[in-house]
Structure formats: C-alpha cells, structure tokens
Amino acid sequence: MERTWHKPLPVVDLLIRDGRVADPLSGIDAVHDVLVKRGKVAEVGKALAAPKGARVFEADGMLVLPGFVDLHTHLRTPGREDEEDIASGTMAAAAGGYVKVFAMANTDPVVDTAAALRGFADSARAEAVVPAGSYAAVTRGLKGEQLTEMAELAEAGAVAFSDDGRPLATASLVRRALQYAKVTGRTIAIHAQDDSLFKGGQMHEGPASARLGLGGIPSLCESLDVARALDIAAYEGAPLHVHHVSAAATLDVLGKAKARGLKVTAEVTPHHLALTDEAVASLDSDLKMNPPLREEADRLALVKALKSGLLDCVATDHAPHSPMSKDVPFEEAAFGTTGLETAFAVLYTYLVKKRSVDLGTLVTRMSQAPAAIAGVEPPAIRAGAVADLCVVDPRATWTVTPEGFRSRSVNSAFLGRQLTGRIVLTVAAGRLAWEADA
Amino acid sequence: MPKRDLISIEDLSREQVELLLDTAESFLPVLERDIKKVPTLRGRTIVNLFWEASTRTSSSFDLAAKRLSADTIALKASGSAVEKGETLKDTAITLSAYGPDIIVMRHPSAGACQVLSRNTEASVINAGDGKHQHPTQCLLDLFALRQTFGRDLDGMKVSIVGDILHSRVARSDIMGFKLLGMDVTLVGPPTLIPRGIEEMGVKIEYDLANLGDADVIYLLRIQKERIKEGANFLPSLREYNRLYGMSRARLRPGQRVMHPGPINRGVEIGPDIADDDENLIALQVFSGLAVRMAILYRTIVGYTDAGSEEVL
C-alpha cells in the first residue's frame, strides 16, 4: 500500500566520499564512502570507486545521515496555496534534510473523503520533490461530529487519522474513533486540548503571561486531554499517537501509560525543545503557536524525554502562515511557526552541541522512529536500501532570515537566530531532492 | 538617532521616569496661567489613534498636545477606514504619509504598538494595548503620588485591589511602583489574579481585611463582562462588593484611595469614598494632562536633562 507519492524525478548515481556516516539503525558511525546506484545504496565502505557517469560529492568533514521523516507538516494544499503548496513545502522539506513528510488534513476542503485524498496524491505525483503522504481527518470537516469513511480513506493511502488543529472534544468521540481504528489498522492521532481551559488563550499560562497580560493556556489544558485519551485507549486496547507534546505534566501521564504497556507514541517539535515562553516577551507573533512555548522546566523535561524515548520522535508542526495572518498584533495573529528548514539545525545547535542529546539519538528520533510510527520503511544507509539520506555540514553557521526559505511562508520562530549545521545535500527515494549552493 | 517609543514601563529607567515626572512638574505653572499654552511643539504633528472607546485618555492626550501648540489629528475606530477592514499595518502606512512626529495609540490587542512602530517613522506612545500595558496611566499615577506624598516614594506601600487579570493599568503600575521602590500587594479574588504574577515581586492577598499598613489603596474597575455566564470570574457584582468593595469603614485614617476611572459606584467603590475629597481620583485626572505634556515633550526632545526651563 502506497502511503507517499512523489514526482518521477530521475534516480541518481552518486558517490558521497569521506563523510562521517552516522546511522544508528545500521550500527555505523565512521568515515566512509557511500555509493548510490540507480537510487539505491549500493555500497558503504572505504575508498570506493566512482562508476562511470556517477556524480562525486566530497563530504570530508560532513555528516551523512539517514534522511528525516516528518509526521506533522502542514502543506496547506488545497485551499491556501498562497501559504504553501506541495512543490514549495516538499522543497522546504528537502532543504531541511527530510525524505518523507506527512501532511495534516486541515486543508480547505478538508481531507475527509477518499476523493480528496486521491486529489492530494495526484498533486504530490506532479509536484512533490520528496515523497509526501497525508493524514485523513477523524471527523467530517473537522467538525468533531461524524466519523469520516475511515476504511476507504485507509485504502486510499491515509497514513493515520487526525483532526489536528482541533481536539476530539468528547470522550465518546475519542472512543468511537479508537474503536473504528481496529477496522482500518491505522493509528488515531490527537491534538490534545481541553477547549474549556483553552478559551481565550494566547500563550502558556505562567509568570510570563501574567506579566504580559496575555490569556494563558495552562499545561493542564494538554495533560488532562492526553490523560483522558490514554484511559480510553487502554480501555479499547487501541494504539494512540499524541501530537506536539509541550508540557512536563503531559510527560507524567505518558510515562505512566507506557509503563502500563499501552501502544502510545508521541512527538515533540523543535521549537518546544529549544525555546520557552520567555521569548514571547517581544510580542513577536512568530513566537505564537499552539501548543504554546512553555517554561524552562517543561523544556528540560521534554529534552530528557526525547533522550529516553518517552517522546518517540521529533515532528515539526511546520505551519506556514501568510503575512496577513502574522504581520498583525500578537493577540490577533494565527498560531504556528514554520519548521522544516530549521528543524535539524535548531536541534543540532540547541541539543547536540550543548551535549544534551547525542547525534545518534537525534537521528533516530528524526528519521527512523517517525518512519516506524508511519509504517513506512525506515531510512537506512546500508547496501540494498533505497537512498534516503542527507549530508550535513556541521561546521556551517547561518542566520535564519526571511530571504533564506524555500517555504512560501517566512513565519519562523527562529528568525534572526544563529544556527549551526546546514543541510548541503538530500537524496529522497533515490532522487536528488536538494543541493545547497556552494 | 533611533526614534523613541513608549510601549511599556519597562522601556524606561528609573532616572527617565523621574525626569519625566520632574518635567511634568515644570509644566504645572503653564496650566495655572490664563493662557494655558506654550509654543514648545509648534509645527509638530501628533496623531491620536484610538481603536477602543476612551474618554479621559484621548481627551488628555489631545489637550496635552494642544497646550504644547502641536497640530493634532484624532482618529477613532468607528466611522474610519478601520470599519472598512483596513489592517493596522495599512493604517500605519497611510498615517505616516502625513509625517507625524508621534502616534499615540490605544488598541484592544497586545502587540499592536509593535506592528505600528515597525510601519512608521513616528514615535509610538502606547495609550493602552489589550491587557498588556498602559504606561502613561502609571506615570500619571506616580505623579499624583508625588504631588500627595512628596518626591520620595521609596518604601511606600500600595495595595492594588480588584481585577488584576484583565488590567493593563495594574501591570504598568506594578512595574512603575516597583521601579520607584514601592512595596506592592495585590488584593482580589483568586479568579482575577493571574497565575505566576508573584514573580513580578508582589505579595498576594485574597482578603481585603489584610490591607494592613498600606499607604495607598488602588482600586481597579470591575467590568460587567466578568460575571457573564460561562466566564465565572465572579458569582455576582454584589458578592464582589461585599468582599472587595471599598468603603470608608474599611479604610484606616490616612489611607488614600486611587482609581484609574471610570468608576463603578457601588461595585468596587462606595459613594462615601467616591464623593469625598480625600481620594486622589481627580488629582489623577489632572496629573494626566501635565504628565502627557511631559511625555510628548520628552519623546521629541529626548531624555537628556538639558533644562526644560529654557524651552518653556
């Protein structure tokens, strides 16, 4: 069953020479050459010869990593192609080292019918430079009322089901969705949010919101909703995926559920791992997102959970917004930050360089763990595997600027910040998807 | 020289606040003359942009600018391009075409002043943005306090009573009062005291009986929306009045009452206090004029101490 689609670009013949190949899945972390022939890894070894006609890429001093997989991307297509389309969004993904992305269903119209999903697949076949798949909505029109025709959507290739952007508001709806997931074999993913506690919220509730006079979104708003969904998942014996965990309190309930043996997985975004609510003092609307940036204690707990695997994977929640939604007062601005093009550099800068998380763990959480959750082949750098990899220059420092994006939108929470680590080459599904200007 | 905005009290140092208050004091004689006008800002243009209803702040800024001989334009949200759907950014660009020196703005959303400032060469003065800040109110409160208690406010004790959660005045006052060395206690029902605000260096008290040795009781307006069904910040205004309404009987002799206005008689303030001349409410309004003259003046000429006397 196909779960991603892409443009039929030519497959590559490529020799990547002298890079530090770091692939936890294959158990390699050493300087090697990687030979890609007709889009597949042909050999990983020392002093490999370039076949005739093969491109040679000198990767001395660079990292050669399994490509990343994003379980949480907003491609905004159909409906808001002014903010992102499949071409620009997958180009942004490629520039960030991603080799597969999964788009959320909250488009206009919503991906809530097989016809809509086939429309996405057709666009991806025409435009996607890295393979793109899609979630389907849990409820029709994301209205939280009637379930979508999940079996047909699963047959059409939906990777999982999510009403992301909206919580599943009642316990009975969570229960019905989880029950029905046994028919489809696909996971239900939740955007956890107790709406009664969210109402009027603009940022994390705490000392910073008290000082700024912005409506607070308490950690409880997330942890309560996750706790409820986990209890229902336990009752139904169904798997559950939790989107964008932001609060330490949520980690407590996740930890207990995992200890009980529940089939639960969870993702965390680069911005929640790197920034806190203190940054919101600037009232810069690019720092407004949902769930909100939380306190340093939350951030530290998230980093620890990423390291331990309590948080299974990194997901960007790449949320492009037009200037009309962002170049407005903070309180009127849309929630969301872009993330595909900065994710690795942010985590390399804020976590790996500071020795909070080692490179191998980060690669697992960005590449192989999310692939496993999506039920697709994990990217691996070993003979016989499809070439899904990226090359990173770990010495390159760069400043995030609005001019530097392939995404059609520039609303990055990291604008103006200096990052280390630059993706110089991405091969996705055996195709050359990205090469940085020298 | 970069333009000077006044968006938050945090934009000012203690020295700058004191200089502003001294400057305001130097304007007092002007306000006592028959002809209450000086040519100081002649030829300067000041725009008053009010996206939210306001009587005292907008009239105070307007009169302050006129007392300094500046040209003023007043724009209100109703009947303007705002109602026709123009964005704040576009309004900023449009108004900037007149080359104003200062834009004074009130806006219902926090962050509006930053958007305005990014899109204009004019200095931006915040006349209230959402629940965020109202720095000129804080400065006039400090001025009224100095007029009443003398120049040194260090160590004075003030209790701010009421709806802290929704109050931009409270947030500016906490910062300004602390900046000048005052001791601040917040009093109100827990539903209206934001979580984490104690990190601003204030004490929190849920019982009005514990006003203790406060020199000043600063009452905040209770808005009727707070008792709307589903909001549940308060069971009723009556209950609020029973627990937190200020009356003469609840004050110790010598304690003075302030209120940013407009007052809700019978809710946060009893008529015995509203009507007696011990309260500082009218002095606050009067102070607003002198202080806003000082703010407009300092925004244009700068915060160096080069004697304002010469300019007058």
Side-chain angles (χ1 to χ4, degrees):
Chain A
M1 164 57 54
E2 277 187 294
R3 293 192 187 182
T4 58
W5 305 273
H6 59 87
K7 210 162 138 175
L9 296 167
V11 291
V12 288
D13 292 320
L14 175 70
L15 177 65
I16 302 167
R17 199 179 264 162
D18 290 332
R20 175 183 159 199
V21 179
D23 175 9
L25 191 64
S26 309
I28 315 176
D29 187 352
V31 174
H32 282 299
D33 295 346
V34 176
L35 178 63
V36 175
K37 270 165 119 174
R38 270 175 252 121
K40 288 199 165 177
V41 178
E43 203 178 344
V44 179
K46 305 282 183 193
L48 302 182
K52 211 174 146 194
R55 166 85 200 277
V56 177
F57 189 92
E58 298 296 345
D60 187 21
M62 298 190 186
L63 306 170
V64 183
L65 307 175
F68 313 132
V69 175
D70 192 20
L71 287 185
H72 197 141
T73 306
H74 293 274
L75 291 178
R76 300 284 186 244
T77 301
R80 286 309 299 270
E81 292 82 354
D82 60 313
E83 295 182 326
E84 199 79 285
D85 61 22
I86 290 173
S88 66
T90 54
M91 186 57 85
Y98 283 89
V99 297
K100 275 189 179 62
V101 294
F102 293 95
M104 285 299 158
N106 64 341
T107 47
D108 181 15
V110 172
V111 180
D112 58 1
T113 63
L117 186 57
R118 283 192 286 267
F120 176 90
D122 287 345
S123 303
R125 282 189 200 100
E127 296 176 30
V129 297
V130 310
S134 180
Y135 285 75
V138 175
T139 65
R140 295 185 193 198
L142 306 178
K143 289 193 178 124
E145 292 158 7
Q146 203 173 2
L147 294 180
T148 55
E149 292 173 334
M150 294 168 109
E152 192 185 10
L153 280 159
E155 281 167 31
V159 66
F161 291 86
S162 173
D163 273 6
D164 182 60
R166 300 283 315 129
L168 299 175
T170 65
S172 80
L173 181 60
V174 176
R175 184 178 180 206
R176 292 290 178 246
L178 287 170
Q179 287 177 318
Y180 205 76
K182 293 174 195 167
V183 174
T184 65
R186 297 290 197 281
T187 302
I188 302 293
I190 58 163
H191 166 116
Q193 172 177 311
D194 180 312
D195 270 342
S196 70
L197 292 171
F198 181 82
K199 200 178 164 197
Q202 295 281 338
M203 68 175 292
H204 170 68
E205 179 177 88
S209 66
R211 185 179 184 89
L212 290 167
L214 290 170
I217 304 168
S219 301
L220 262 186
C221 174
E222 176 178 284
S223 61
L224 274 180
D225 203 37
V226 171
R228 184 181 72 172
L230 287 171
D231 277 348
I232 300 168
Y235 187 80
E236 292 298 342
L240 181 77
H241 179 72
V242 182
H243 288 316
H244 46 50
V245 173
S246 66
T250 306
L251 297 173
D252 294 342
V253 292
L254 267 179
K256 283 178 198 145
K258 285 199 169 184
R260 282 157 70 194
L262 250 66
K263 284 177 280 179
V264 54
T265 52
E267 65 187 41
V268 60
T269 72
H271 47 275
H272 289 109
L273 290 165
L275 303 176
T276 68
D277 61 345
E278 287 299 324
V280 180
S282 62
L283 294 180
D284 174 352
S285 62
D286 290 331
L287 292 153
K288 179 173 176 178
M289 59 278 282
N290 181 26
L293 298 175
R294 299 203 186 269
E295 294 172 42
E296 180 66 2
D298 294 285
R299 190 188 73 81
L300 292 172
L302 294 175
V303 172
K304 196 173 155 210
L306 184 74
K307 205 171 160 181
S308 75
L310 175 56
L311 292 170
D312 300 83
C313 68
V314 171
T316 64
D317 196 1
H318 176 79
H321 283 292
S322 78
M324 262 103 81
S325 307
K326 281 294 196 180
D327 195 6
V328 296
F330 188 93
E331 280 191 82
E332 296 167 17
F335 290 101
T337 171
T338 56
L340 286 169
E341 291 171 77
T342 49
F344 178 81
V346 162
L347 296 175
Y348 189 75
T349 306
Y350 286 80
L351 303 187
V352 177
K353 280 193 74 188
K354 293 185 180 165
R355 299 180 189 278
S356 306
V357 173
D358 64 81
L359 180 67
T361 303
L362 180 63
V363 169
T364 302
R365 304 280 182 264
M366 291 186 73
S367 172
Q368 292 143 355
I373 294 168
V376 295
E377 192 64 35
I381 304 178
R382 63 177 165 225
V386 171
D388 273 327
L389 56 84
C390 62
V391 180
V392 178
D393 183 350
R395 300 154 302 190
T397 56
W398 54 290
T399 302
V400 185
T401 62
E403 297 75 29
F405 294 118
R406 260 59 48 180
S407 170
R408 199 158 279 176
S409 293
V410 299
N411 56 297
S412 167
F414 295 93
L415 280 178
R417 290 177 194 262
Q418 200 177 66
L419 301 179
T420 302
R422 185 159 170 256
I423 313 293
V424 292
L425 185 83
T426 304
V427 178
R431 276 96 175 158
L432 183 65
W434 167 253
E435 188 173 359
D437 299 331
Chain B
M1 182 196 287
K3 63 178 177 157
R4 266 176 292 274
D5 290 341
L6 177 56
I7 296 175
S8 166
I9 282 292
E10 290 170 301
D11 296 341
L12 300 172
S13 65
R14 179 173 185 154
E15 291 66 35
Q16 287 174 321
V17 167
E18 283 171 345
L19 179 62
L20 272 173
L21 299 178
D22 291 344
T23 307
E25 207 166 324
S26 74
F27 281 124
L28 286 179
V30 176
L31 301 176
E32 283 158 14
R33 295 182 199 159
D34 284 343
I35 297 175
K36 301 178 177 58
K37 201 170 176 100
V38 286
T40 316
L41 297 186
R42 193 163 55 198
R44 303 291 189 162
T45 304
I46 296 172
V47 176
N48 287 310
L49 181 56
F50 278 70
W51 302 66
E52 226 181 42
S54 159
T55 312
R56 69 197 66 207
T57 307
S58 69
S59 60
S60 171
F61 264 112
D62 190 47
L63 196 55
K66 290 187 163 113
R67 292 277 186 261
L68 294 168
S69 304
D71 298 320
T72 63
I73 310 171
L75 288 152
K76 291 190 163 48
S78 61
S80 69
V82 176
E83 276 195 340
K84 296 169 191 156
E86 188 175 73
T87 64
L88 178 55
K89 178 178 175 169
D90 291 315
T91 303
I93 293 166
T94 304
L95 290 175
S96 297
Y98 299 128
D101 298 279
I102 296 176
I103 300 178
V104 176
M105 180 169 75
R106 167 165 295 184
H107 197 283
S109 300
C113 293
Q114 283 82 353
V115 174
L116 176 62
S117 187
R118 277 205 296 278
N119 290 289
T120 182
E121 300 284 307
S123 288
V124 172
I125 295 177
N126 182 4
D129 62 333
K131 300 177 282 291
H132 176 227
Q133 280 280 311
H134 194 353
T136 67
Q137 176 73 43
C138 167
L139 292 164
L140 73 86
D141 289 336
L142 288 171
F143 187 80
L145 285 168
R146 282 212 335 190
Q147 293 295 109
T148 308
F149 296 98
R151 296 172 63 89
D152 186 12
L153 303 178
D154 224 305
M156 273 190 64
K157 293 182 168 58
V158 56
S159 290
I160 304 177
V161 182
D163 183 358
I164 312 294
L165 183 65
H166 299 95
S167 175
R168 55 192 171 212
V169 173
R171 267 170 270 274
S172 286
D173 276 358
I174 291 167
M175 289 174 186
F177 293 171
K178 300 276 306 171
L179 191 63
L180 294 204
M182 296 169 68
D183 213 44
V184 181
T185 302
L186 307 179
V187 186
T191 49
L192 293 175
I193 294 187
R195 186 183 175 89
I197 198 153
E198 60 280 4
E199 292 202 11
M200 293 181 78
V202 295
K203 291 192 277 289
I204 291 170
E205 188 58 71
Y206 301 132
D207 188 347
L208 194 68
N210 300 334
L211 286 179
D213 53 355
D215 302 296
V216 175
I217 316 297
Y218 197 106
L219 303 177
L220 296 171
R221 177 179 166 79
I222 292 294
Q223 287 176 325
K224 294 206 172 60
E225 296 98 275
R226 308 300 169 229
I227 55 162
K228 264 190 203 155
E229 210 176 326
N232 273 331
F233 290 109
L234 296 170
S236 69
L237 295 181
R238 177 175 171 273
E239 173 123 321
Y240 181 85
N241 181 256
R242 263 173 50 82
L243 292 177
Y244 300 101
M246 187 54 61
S247 62
R248 181 56 55 196
R250 285 178 156 166
L251 288 179
R252 290 187 314 116
Q255 285 182 322
R256 309 297 290 269
V257 172
M258 299 177 81
H259 192 300
I263 63 170
N264 269 328
R265 267 173 203 265
V267 183
E268 72 272 3
I269 187 166
D272 56 348
I273 293 184
D275 293 333
D276 92 24
D277 50 13
E278 280 288 286
N279 78 53
L280 306 184
I281 301 171
L283 175 62
Q284 287 174 275
V285 178
F286 172 76
S287 302
L289 185 55
V291 165
R292 288 180 175 118
M293 287 170 74
I295 292 165
L296 296 174
Y297 172 75
R298 286 290 169 196
T299 297
I300 287 177
V301 307
Y303 283 82
T304 51
D305 207 0
S308 45
E309 298 302 323
E310 316 165 19
V311 190
L312 301 181

